[in-house]
Amino acid sequence: MGNFGHYLFRAQALDEKDNLSGFRKRFYIPENTIYVDGNSLGLLSMDAEQSLQRVLNEWKNMGIRGWLEADRPWFYFAEEIGEMAAPLVGASAGELIFTGTTTVNIHSLISTFYRPEGKRNKILADELNFPSDIYALKGQIKQRGLNPDEVLLLATSENGKTLEEDTIIEMMTDDVALVYLPSVLYASGQLLDMQRLTEAAHSRGIPIGFDCSHSTGVVPHHFGRWGVDFATFCSYKYLNGGPGCSAFLYVNQKHFGKEPLMAGWFGYVKEKQFDMSLHFDHAKSAGGWQISSPGILGSSTMEGSLKIINEAGIEAIRQKSLLLTSFLVELMHDLDLFSAHGFSIATPPQDERRGGHIALTHPTEALRICSALKNRNIIPDFRAPDTIRIAPVPLYNSFEEVYLVVKNLKEIMDNQEYLRFPRERKAIS
Ligand SMILES: *Cc1c(COP(=O)(O)O)cnc(C)c1O
């Protein structure tokens, strides 16, 4: 404990060298709080607040004319925001659309890309994925009159935390019709090698899609270069769009001719949508997979939010993110939190296998340690049974905050302060 100050100096030196430090003042940070939960719900920026205010005023002052006459016409909003986000994932013109919500987009994409034929009728996913994704896959399988117990293959994890690409690739057999995987695992923070998985699937003639909710905005992707067939991701984590903000949907241009089967009028060829024909002529772009009128109000934050992210640049964001997470792990090692207090880290140590958060595990007390941190106004989150997720976000967290998280964690453990908190979990933890 004696040389704690040394780490503070190092943190401050890292903050001084940090080219992104100026972005923090454009965010609303909850008062007296160290917020390290941006992988669950990102914070509001002033830029996002402004774009929301502008749209609210447009509705107030223009009524229906806003669809074509607003500053950013609402009718083209989903396409234009898709274009703004394209550099984050390496999408080309028309491949990315701002629409729906993650789970709805999964249904919509799977309904197009899952084409079971005879024995080739399996979907390959993994047992560590976010439950909603698996529910959607099972629902889609049942809709085809098939049995998920027979048709849904889940790659298993040896340690319950991470996956091996080799295991997944071995399961890409002749009877697999589709592969669907996460980019970053929501619990452990492992980043999968999407390029390698895509190449392996394609060499066996299998289409592959990804859920990038836990990576977009903090890890750069190159969907186009890698040849990813389709993807979706939410916008309220590292993209800071706000609770329940619209999601994004990506379709590789080689598939623009495929039919969106969860069809709706906003997927119609744009110039002819208001012809009101009963024959569905879908846009030959990711826009074809839109279903309903875009939720302009609740999603207008994304314009301001993307302005900041694009200004910072996704490569610079990723670099800082890796420095933040490796500093966190290094501090914990140096302060002996592992052997002395029973912590481990489920997140792979290698930069290229790590997303934006660190999954700290404790065999028995993770929930109560998390409660003790929150009681000290440090906000991570808990995922049952044993994981505390800490996400230092490059746009608004500092190295000094990482230092403070570890300092507080050490005090909580040294004093056994966590023993004062209940063992029961709230509805959201
Ligand atoms: C956050 C997240 C979701 C959330 O789904 P919604 O439909 O937006 O509520 C789904 N899947 C993954 C992998 C996520 O990380």
Side-chain angles (χ1 to χ4, degrees), residues 328-340:
L328 172 67
V329 174
E330 185 195 331
L331 272 185
M332 291 203 51
H333 271 294
D334 287 3
L335 297 176
D336 204 24
L337 279 164
F338 295 103
S339 46

Side-chain angles (χ1 to χ4, degrees), residues 18 34 55 88 151 186 252 258 292 294 320 370 376 389 408 426:
D18 171 19
I34 297 180
V55 171
L88 305 181
V151 168
Y186 78 97
N252 192 299
K258 290 202 162 63
S292 294
K320 178 174 172 187
C370 193
R376 288 178 174 229
R389 302 188 304 177
N408 278 277
K426 295 183 186 161

Side-chain angles (χ1 to χ4, degrees), residues 28-223:
Y28 292 99
I29 316 277
E31 223 180 312
N32 296 322
T33 299
I34 297 180
Y35 192 84
V36 281
D37 203 16
N39 62 318
S40 240
L41 180 66
L43 293 177
L44 174 65
S45 63
M46 288 163 194
D47 305 61
E49 182 184 38
Q50 271 168 22
S51 54
L52 172 67
Q53 273 299 341
R54 190 195 70 221
V55 171
L56 200 56
N57 283 332
E58 287 168 346
W59 180 30
K60 195 190 281 178
N61 298 321
M62 295 182 171
I64 197 166
R65 285 170 37 219
W67 282 105
L68 291 177
E69 293 172 31
D71 202 33
R72 193 181 278 283
W74 306 337
F75 190 57
Y76 301 103
F77 195 77
E79 284 79 5
E80 291 184 11
I81 297 297
E83 234 167 84
M84 268 183 95
L88 305 181
V89 295
S92 305
E95 288 184 328
L96 191 64
I97 187 91
F98 183 45
T99 191
T101 52
T102 317
T103 310
V104 169
N105 290 347
I106 297 172
H107 277 288
S108 158
L109 288 163
I110 300 293
S111 72
T112 293
F113 285 92
Y114 179 41
R115 305 276 93 210
E117 274 173 35
K119 274 190 60 191
R120 197 177 185 109
N121 63 1
K122 311 270 194 295
I123 297 182
L124 174 59
D126 71 279
E127 66 171 3
L128 298 181
N129 206 335
F130 197 82
S132 200
D133 296 47
I134 300 296
Y135 304 156
L137 294 179
K138 288 183 176 173
Q140 284 295 320
I141 289 168
K142 285 185 191 173
Q143 281 197 19
R144 314 296 171 92
L146 296 168
N147 179 355
D149 292 340
E150 291 162 11
V151 168
L152 182 61
L153 308 178
L154 298 181
T156 52
S157 162
E158 283 199 6
N159 58 9
K161 303 291 181 195
T162 53
L163 297 167
E164 293 303 323
E165 282 86 357
D166 287 338
T167 311
I168 301 172
I169 291 169
E170 271 168 33
M171 293 178 74
M172 295 179 181
T173 43
D174 280 353
D175 51 351
V176 173
L178 177 68
V179 181
Y180 186 69
L181 295 165
S183 50
V184 165
L185 305 190
Y186 78 97
S188 68
Q190 178 190 7
L191 171 63
L192 291 178
D193 187 340
M194 298 164 65
Q195 180 173 14
R196 182 172 167 220
L197 291 164
T198 302
E199 283 166 6
H202 286 173
S203 71
R204 292 158 178 81
I206 311 170
I208 183 166
F210 290 95
D211 187 324
C212 298
S213 295
H214 256 85
S215 55
T216 309
V218 74
V219 179
H221 296 310
H222 303 282
F223 293 161

Side-chain angles (χ1 to χ4, degrees), residues 1 4 32-34 328 331-332 335 337 341 343 360 369 372-380 390 400-418:
M1 284 298 286
F4 229 95
N32 296 322
T33 299
I34 297 180
L328 172 67
L331 272 185
M332 291 203 51
L335 297 176
L337 279 164
H341 294 295
F343 284 109
L360 194 59
I369 296 165
L373 282 166
K374 285 182 185 167
N375 185 55
R376 288 178 174 229
N377 285 340
I378 294 174
I379 315 294
I390 301 175
E400 185 164 346
E401 285 181 307
V402 168
Y403 160 81
L404 289 170
V405 168
V406 179
K407 179 173 185 281
N408 278 277
L409 191 60
K410 180 161 171 58
E411 287 168 9
I412 286 166
M413 298 313 293
D414 287 345
N415 309 335
Q416 296 198 314
E417 194 171 307
Y418 58 90

